[in-house]
Structures are given as structure tokens and as C-alpha cells.
Amino acid sequence: MYKKRHFRPKIFMKPDFALDDSLTFNSVLPWSHFNTAGGKGNRDAASSKLLQEKLSHYLDIVEVNIAHQISLRSEAFFHAMTSQHELQDYLKKTSQAVKMLRDKIAQIDKVMCEGSLHILRLALTRNNCVKVYNKLKLMATVHQTQPTVQVLLSTSEFVGALDLIATTQEVLQQELQGIHSFRHLGSQLCELEKLIDKMMIAEFSTYSHSDLNRPLEDDCQVLEEERLVSLVFGLLKQRKLNFLEIYGEKMIITAKNIIKQCVINKVSQIEEIDTDVVVKLADQMRMLNFPQWFELLKDIFSKFTIFLQRVKATLNIIHSVVLSVLDKNQRTRELEEISQQKNAAKDNSLDTEVAYLIHEGMFISDAFSEGEITPVAVDTNSQRNASPNSEPCSSDSVSEPECTTDSSSSKEQTASSAIPGGVDILVSEDMRLTDSELGKLANNIQELLYSASDICHDRAVKFLMSRAKDGFLEKLNSMEFITLSRLMETFILDTEQICGRKSMSLLGALQSQANKFVNRFHEERKTKLSLLLDNERWKQADVPAEFQDLVDSISDGKIALPEKKSGATEERKPAEVLIVEGQQYAVVGTVLLLIRIILEYCQCVDNIPSVTTDMLTRLSDLLKYFNSRSCQLVLGAGALQVVGLKTITTKNLALSSRCLQLIVHYIPVIRAHFEARLPPKQYSMLRHFDHITKDYHDHIAEISAKLVAIMDSLFDKLLSKYEVKAPVPSACFRNICKQMTKMHEAIFDLLPEEQTQMLFLRINASYKLHLKKQLSHLNVINDGGPQNGLVTADVAFYTGNLQALKGLKDLDLNMAEIWEQKR
């Protein structure tokens, strides 16, 4: 008999053998054995029969194996059957023991635990009842929110109303969420909050209008300070940070009204203005003369100053509120950090607390629930009590007083600080503005103050321009313009002191008008100087006492026009010359007036410092014009045609030179005056005075050269006809000495002695040159002969006459150089 295991296919021995697997099924029972179609039917039927027999054979093998295994383990089966009764006895005894244990446990539970658990259930029920009662009481308080908000709004308590709405919204979300009766209250409160926003903006607009348009004579700086503080807090709480724009618009309107009202008041006081004929206010204003218009401008500046002081006071209150909120934000963050640290420490001790609660007989779930609920309730109450106009009620206590909606009682629990005006301000913790927003708002407040100054300056500029349309400002004389300039500069400094920044529009308008004034000022004086020069006959003029006083004041270090002395100056007689620091100056009338004009330029710089550079340029132009024009008239002989002089004499030349010297004397003084008033970066402009000084010195040198040239041509004419013969002195030398004497008489009283000596030394050098040339032509040498004697006698006559002239006694003429040295 063959071994059965040899006929077991491997597929039946696989651990994952399962006929529900299609591959396994197809392998064990191929479908091809069941295909009886076609001509192969007989063969397939035989295969199927063979397969059936094979499977039957496998089944027989399995049954034999099972029987074999049972026979091998027969002893174990019989042993299990014999021990079954013993196991049943053991189970019966165990069941009886368990029943006894359960009876004992039930008795212990009834005696020791049931009463205690009943007490705990009653305590839990009581706590739940208390919570329900507090919740109902809280619902009753919340139910009164809308009527209370209406009451607060009727008294303009916007901050209290907003705080009450915020607290109610917080209670609805945290403690009353899901209550059906309050499902619409949240949306109603949101709409009410939007309404309050509009009311606050309208209220702030009304307040701004009332504050800015009240009479400027009122001494009160801030109108209803408490109302302003409340409005600002409400706007900040609602993040309505554009309320400054409303205030700015009101400022513009008020500034316009101030000017309009001032003009109306002034025009109504002038009887000469018929308002029925001249309808436009601007045309009425242009009919005012300068004193009337100046008083009007002064009144406008005064009103603007008071207006800016009020704006500053109001903005200071707003600024203090913003800074208080910013300070509160910083303190709140510090408290939150401290609270977080405490909570972290509390979490670290949680395990010990839970263990203790378990030891006392409380459930772990109850311990965790108490640990979670209690802090939340405390935080809720603390937040509610710390907010202005909040509900100081708690949901965890039955004995606490009834919740109230009265804002006055809740305000006592808010954090407060003081505004400079003395009003206590209340800072709510729920103003969640960031530090950057508050800092930006504080900067905007400062910018609004700057804007107020700019608005006043812009309106003042428009007022000035409306008056300047007909050239009114350009026609002002020096004193009027200086008075106007000082008034404007004072107003600019006042506004800068109030607002902390200089506004440039009015300063620019002043500079523009100052430039026009400087142009007109210069053109008038240049035209005046031109007319004086065109009519100047270049003769020595008497010096009135007022001009002597003028130069005396300059000598004392004062460059200014002295005040006229009543009566005393008129009794003093004019002097022949002008005394300047001990030196005598013979001058023409034009130069006296030019000195006065120069001092007018210097005084204008003192009165209007902003025109210093322009005045320096114009004064340089004036001095250059005088130099060039006087050169044309005297050296260029233009006075012959302009004035009708017959000739330009040596006296005219000497007088012109002395006048130039007088101007040169004062140029360093003028330079120092401008240097003291120029900023260091503009010192380069002082080089104009160096150029002018050089031009004047060149002009003076040209005049001296002209005087020498006149005598040189005379020597050439006379000495060319000189003959060495008797009588002695010859007619030629007599004529030369006569002309030298005339020259001396013409210039000695005009030019200083040193200049006269230098001039005659140059003339004598020209004389020696021409004489030497003539003697060389006549072949007269220094040989001691008769001709030499005649020439020596003529030269001695010339020398004696020249040294006899006043101021030339010690003049070294050195006449020995005229001789040709021949052997």
C-alpha cells in the first residue's frame, strides 16, 4: 500500500488556502473539466469523472489522517472527561464565595457610603440652583440694557453707554450664549452702537463749531472740558480716529469768518465808505487808507493769536487723553504678563491639589471641573468690574447685591488719571488701540496744531494779496513798510511760539513784498541819484548842520539817520567843509545826499533783516553807479553837455577826487554793518565792497593822473618854446610858476596836504622830464658857462616859487637831475 502523504498537492498545504479565492478555486477545480461543448464532449466528461475520483480520494486520505490523530490523543480525551466533574465542583465553590463577598460589599456601601454620597449630591444640586438663580438675575439685568442705554444717551453719556453695550455683549457671548430669548439682542446692540458712533461724530462736530466760533473776547480757553474729554474717549473707544479731520475743517471755516467779521466791523466804522454803492466786501476793504488798513490787519492778527491759543488748549486736552490711553495700554500689558506668570505657577501646583482632593473623598472629575470653572468666573467678574459703566454682578454668589446699570456707581471702579485742566479721565481696559495707532494719533494732533498756524498764515496772505491787487503795498513809503513788516514778523514769532513751528506762507509773502519794496526803494534812490548827478555842477557846496550831525553819529558807531533836532539845527549856519574824524572834506551837494541815501539802506537792513542780502546787492549797484557816472561826467567831460559847463577845471577834478575819498572812507564801516547782519554762509557777498573799493581807488588814481597830465601838456607846450637868454627869470618860467600857483590854489583847499605833496612831486617829475628834454635839444650842459647860469637862475626862480606855496615848503624837488652830464 502506498503512502498517502505522497499524493497531497502542495496547494492544499498552504496556510492561506481558501476556496473563496478565485485563483485557488480555479487551481483545485479547473473549469476546463466542465466544458462539454464541441466535439470533445466525451474526453471532457472522462476528465471530469477523473477529477471527481481524485478529490474523493483526497477526502478519504483526510478522514484517515483525522482518525489517526484521534487515536494518537485518545488518552488525553479520556483524561479530560474524567476531570470535568472536579472542575464543576471548583466553579460552584467559587460562585458561592463571590456571592458572599458581594453581600458584604453591599452592607458596607449601605452603612458607610450611601449617606455621604447623598450629601454630595444635595450640595451639587444646591450649587446648580445658585447658578441658575444668578443666571436668571443676570438675564434680568441684561434685559434692562437697552432702556439704560437710552437714559445715558439722553444725558450725552456716550462712554457709559458704550461700556454698557460692550459689557452686555461680553456677557451674552460668555455667560448667556444660546439663550433663546436673547437671540436678537446682540444684533440690536450692534445697531445701537453704530447709532452712538454717528451721534458722537455729530456731537463732536457741534462742539467744534461752538468752541471755535464763540466770541474771541471770552477768557475761557477750553469750552466744556468734561464734555470734550467724554467725546474723545468715546471716539477712541470706537476707533473713530478721523475726528481730527472734522476739527481741521472747522478751523478753516472759522479762520475765514474771523477775517470776514474783522473787515465788516472795520468798514462799518468808516463813514466815507458807502456800502450801498460799494457792495463787495473786498472792494470796501480796498477803500481803506494805510492807517485804517493797518489797524484792521493788527486786529486780524490779534484775533488769530487768540484763536490759535484756543486751538492749542483744546488739542492739548485731546493729546492728554490719547497719552492717558497709551499709558493705560502699557500698564495693562504689564499686568497681563504678571498674570500669565502667576497662572504658570498655578499650573505647576495642579497635581498636588488634585491629589489632596482625592484624599478628602472628592471625585477627580469634580476636582477638575472646580479648577476650570472658578478661575473663569473670577476673571469674568474682574473684567466686568474693571470696565466703566459695567455690571458689577457675579454668577457665583447669591449674597452679592443686585446688579445695577447706573453709570455713576460703576465709574467708581475704573482706573482714572488727571488731565492738565483738572478733569479726571476714565480709561477703559477694552480700548484696544495699538501703541502705533495712538502714537500716530498723537503726531496727528501736533500736525493739526501746525496746520492751524498754516491756515491762519494762508488766510493772512490772501488778505494781503487782495489788498495788494492795485499796487497798494508797493506804494508804501519806507516807514509804512517797516511798520507793516514789524507787525508781520511779530505775528510770525507769536504763532511760532504758540504752535512750535514757523509757518512759511506769510513769511514768504513778506519776503516777496520786501523784494518788491527793495526794488522800488532802490529804483527811487538810483533815479534820485541820477537826477542829482545830471544837475551837479561840481562846485564845492556848503554843508548843512544836519549832515554834519549825520556823519558825527556814524563816528560814534551808529549807522542810522539821527532824529531831527527841533529848532537847534535851523539856527546853526552851514559849514564850508564836512568834518569826518578830524579830517576836512570839501564835497559837492550830491555826495552829501548820497551819504544820507547810504544810511537809509543801512537803516532799512536794521528794520527789515530779511532783505539784508538784497540791500547789499542794491547798495553795491548804487555805489558802482555813482562811481561810473561821476567818471563819465568829470573825467569823461560829460558834464559839458549834461550841465553846460564850459570846461572841466582842475578844481572840478580835485573836488570829484575828494568826494570819492569820502565814500571810500565809509565803505569799511558799511561793510562791517552788513557783515554783522549776514549769516556766515553769505560772507562771500562782502567781496562786492572789495571790488568797489578797488574801483574807487582806480578812479581816484585816474583823476590824479589827469591832473598830472594837464600840467604835463602845459609843460610840453611852454618848455618847447623855452630859449636860454636874458632876462632872468624868463617869461616861460614866469608863466610856468603862474600856472603852478593856480594849480596849487585850486586843489590845496580841496585835497589833503599829503596828497597835494604827492601830486606836486609827480608834476615836478614831469616838469624835470620836459626841461631836461628841452635843454638836451638846446645842447645846454652843466659846464658853468653863461647859458648854464641863465638856466640855473630860472630853475632857482621856479624852485623858490614852488616851495613858497602853502604846504610845499619842505618839498624835496631835486632839480639836479635836469642836467646832461658831459665832459
Side-chain angles (χ1 to χ4, degrees), residues 410-426:
S410 60
K411 283 181 182 177
E412 297 175 358
Q413 303 179 17
T414 60
S416 64
S417 59
I419 288 179
V423 177
D424 289 338
I425 56 178
L426 307 173

Side-chain angles (χ1 to χ4, degrees), residues 545-558:
E546 60 175 315
F547 287 97
Q548 186 61 55
D549 294 338
L550 194 66
V551 297
D552 290 343
S553 66
I554 299 176
S555 300
D556 295 337
K558 299 177 182 177

Side-chain angles (χ1 to χ4, degrees), residues 30-54:
W31 284 102
S32 59
H33 293 283
F34 301 98
N35 188 3
T36 58
K40 298 180 181 181
N42 296 330
R43 189 176 57 182
D44 290 338
S47 284
S48 299
K49 185 177 181 180
L50 180 62
L51 177 61
Q52 183 178 5
E53 291 177 355
K54 184 184 295 184

Side-chain angles (χ1 to χ4, degrees), residues 442-462:
N443 292 334
N444 290 342
I445 293 172
Q446 187 61 45
E447 289 296 330
L448 187 60
L449 183 59
Y450 297 154
S451 177
S453 176
D454 293 339
I455 289 169
C456 292
H457 281 244
D458 293 342
R459 302 312 304 179
V461 169
K462 290 185 178 181

